Amino acid sequence: MDATRALLDELMGKERDVPVSRRSNRRIKYSDPDVCKYQLAGLCPYGFFKNTKSELGSCTYEYHNDHIEWPSIQSDFDKQDEYEKERYERHLLRFLEDLIKEMDKKIARSRDRANAESNPKPLKPEDTAKLNEMLEKVQEALQQSKEAGEAGDVDVSMSLSQKAADLQKQHDEVKRRLTIPDRTMTVCEVCGVFINSTDNEQRRQEHLTGKQYLGWKAIREKHVELTERQAKRREESEKSRPRDRERDRERERDRDRDRDSRDNRDDRDRDRDRDRDR
């Protein structure tokens, strides 16, 4: 019941049951403390991962884009100047950077585990003995090839050399089959989920359409977008500085000319005063 009431409050407002004539009718503003600042700047990560291993808990803000008044709230924010929007975006960018930093640490740890799981299997003693016998035959064929060459029998030497190469390939293939792990593991570089070589195509597609992958993909893409936007603003600000300095110098020259003009007038006035005194 409490959960249902909270959901209705969020969607329709806390005064939904108050008679129209007695409602405060106060419009929610973008700057109200209960409005999600992350959502205004582009996205709120808290809603992405409910009931997953990446769940972040509940957002500290109450109103999000599923609120009935959200279009008005977002429109109010979109009308603000660039400085205000940049302030909110910086707030979101710092949060996303922290989230990505922690996820990348998890991915690094998971990658170590995946590499360990994917190591070749150790050979059994009987398999080692079998492989050694195969290597002995390789060495025997090479030695015979060498002796035939020294004896001037080029065709036999080349035939034995090819036999040694074929035996070496057989050895390598047998060793590969004997040591190949039952499964290999990789780690998704977006959301940190383990991906097994035994996963079928359906399982792989479920990963790419799942909450964790799509949520972290959205977070990383928004981080890139905001980072590039901040860089562009800095670049534009740096380009405008020479123009600003030139305007400042021009204003200073105007002030200097005004001061010179006032000084000249004062000098002329003093000269006239001295002429009258004489």
Side-chain angles (χ1 to χ4, degrees), residues 191-253:
C191 65
V193 169
F194 285 109
I195 302 172
N196 293 319
S197 58
T198 56
D199 290 343
N200 57 30
E201 185 60 28
Q202 180 181 352
R203 179 67 180 271
R204 293 175 184 272
Q205 287 301 317
E206 288 174 351
H207 163 67
L208 295 176
T209 57
K211 285 184 179 181
Q212 293 196 80
Y213 179 83
L214 293 178
W216 282 108
K217 182 173 181 286
I219 287 173
R220 292 180 184 277
E221 288 176 348
K222 180 58 69 173
H223 178 264
V224 171
E225 176 189 333
L226 294 180
T227 300
E228 291 177 349
R229 191 177 300 166
Q230 292 286 332
K232 184 177 180 181
R233 284 175 176 143
R234 285 194 297 270
E235 182 180 350
E236 291 174 350
S237 176
E238 291 172 359
K239 287 181 179 179
S240 68
R241 286 175 186 171
R243 294 194 296 270
D244 293 340
R245 287 196 291 269
E246 181 60 32
R247 284 194 294 269
D248 291 341
R249 285 194 290 268
E250 185 62 34
R251 284 194 290 267
E252 184 63 30
R253 285 194 291 268

Side-chain angles (χ1 to χ4, degrees), residues 173-190:
E173 177 60 23
V174 171
K175 183 176 181 180
R176 187 192 67 80
R177 291 201 306 267
L178 291 173
T179 59
I180 190 171
D182 295 330
R183 65 174 184 176
T184 57
M185 295 176 62
T186 57
V187 180
C188 176
E189 296 295 328
V190 174

Side-chain angles (χ1 to χ4, degrees), residues 88-101:
Y88 277 59
E89 288 178 0
R90 285 200 306 268
H91 182 53
L92 173 59
L93 184 58
R94 286 193 295 269
F95 183 34
L96 298 183
E97 286 174 347
D98 290 341
L99 290 176
I100 292 172
K101 183 179 180 180

Side-chain angles (χ1 to χ4, degrees), residues 15 23 70 77 102 108 126 137 151 175 180 214 230 266:
E15 293 187 317
R23 292 182 184 178
W70 188 261
F77 173 76
E102 289 303 312
E126 57 270 26
K137 291 180 180 180
K175 183 176 181 180
I180 190 171
L214 293 178
Q230 292 286 332
D266 292 342

Side-chain angles (χ1 to χ4, degrees), residues 34-233:
D34 289 336
V35 174
C36 181
K37 313 308 176 191
Y38 304 130
Q39 192 75 66
L40 286 171
L43 62 81
C44 177
Y46 284 97
F48 288 149
F49 306 117
K50 290 182 179 179
N51 300 320
T52 72
K53 292 181 178 180
S54 294
E55 184 164 2
L56 301 174
S58 299
C59 181
T60 56
Y61 299 110
E62 180 178 356
Y63 300 135
H64 296 81
N65 58 350
D66 56 356
H67 191 276
I68 193 171
E69 293 187 43
W70 188 261
S72 175
I73 298 170
Q74 186 70 56
S75 176
D76 187 18
F77 173 76
D78 291 341
K79 294 175 183 176
Q80 304 308 306
D81 58 32
E82 283 301 311
Y83 175 80
E84 183 75 346
K85 293 177 183 177
E86 183 181 2
R87 188 167 68 88
Y88 277 59
E89 288 178 0
R90 285 200 306 268
H91 182 53
L92 173 59
L93 184 58
R94 286 193 295 269
F95 183 34
L96 298 183
E97 286 174 347
D98 290 341
L99 290 176
I100 292 172
K101 183 179 180 180
E102 289 303 312
M103 173 50 69
D104 286 347
K105 288 181 180 178
K106 175 186 174 184
I107 290 174
R109 292 192 299 268
S110 298
R111 195 182 295 120
D112 291 340
R113 176 186 164 190
N115 291 337
E117 291 277 348
S118 304
N119 284 336
K121 292 191 299 186
L123 288 168
K124 298 177 181 178
E126 57 270 26
D127 293 331
T128 300
K130 179 180 179 181
L131 290 170
N132 287 338
E133 288 179 5
M134 296 179 74
L135 286 176
E136 289 175 1
K137 291 180 180 180
V138 171
Q139 293 302 318
E140 181 180 347
L142 288 173
Q143 181 62 33
Q144 291 174 353
S145 173
K146 180 181 177 182
E147 292 173 355
E150 291 174 349
D153 197 341
V154 177
D155 291 340
V156 172
S157 176
M158 292 180 63
S159 176
L160 289 169
S161 177
Q162 182 60 50
K163 179 182 178 181
D166 292 341
L167 289 171
Q168 183 67 55
K169 287 181 180 178
Q170 292 176 21
H171 167 274
D172 295 342
E173 177 60 23
V174 171
K175 183 176 181 180
R176 187 192 67 80
R177 291 201 306 267
L178 291 173
T179 59
I180 190 171
D182 295 330
R183 65 174 184 176
T184 57
M185 295 176 62
T186 57
V187 180
C188 176
E189 296 295 328
V190 174
C191 65
V193 169
F194 285 109
I195 302 172
N196 293 319
S197 58
T198 56
D199 290 343
N200 57 30
E201 185 60 28
Q202 180 181 352
R203 179 67 180 271
R204 293 175 184 272
Q205 287 301 317
E206 288 174 351
H207 163 67
L208 295 176
T209 57
K211 285 184 179 181
Q212 293 196 80
Y213 179 83
L214 293 178
W216 282 108
K217 182 173 181 286
I219 287 173
R220 292 180 184 277
E221 288 176 348
K222 180 58 69 173
H223 178 264
V224 171
E225 176 189 333
L226 294 180
T227 300
E228 291 177 349
R229 191 177 300 166
Q230 292 286 332
K232 184 177 180 181
R233 284 175 176 143

Side-chain angles (χ1 to χ4, degrees), residues 249-263:
R249 285 194 290 268
E250 185 62 34
R251 284 194 290 267
E252 184 63 30
R253 285 194 291 268
D254 290 341
R255 285 194 292 269
D256 290 341
R257 284 193 291 268
D258 290 340
R259 283 194 294 270
D260 291 342
S261 178
R262 288 195 298 272
D263 291 343

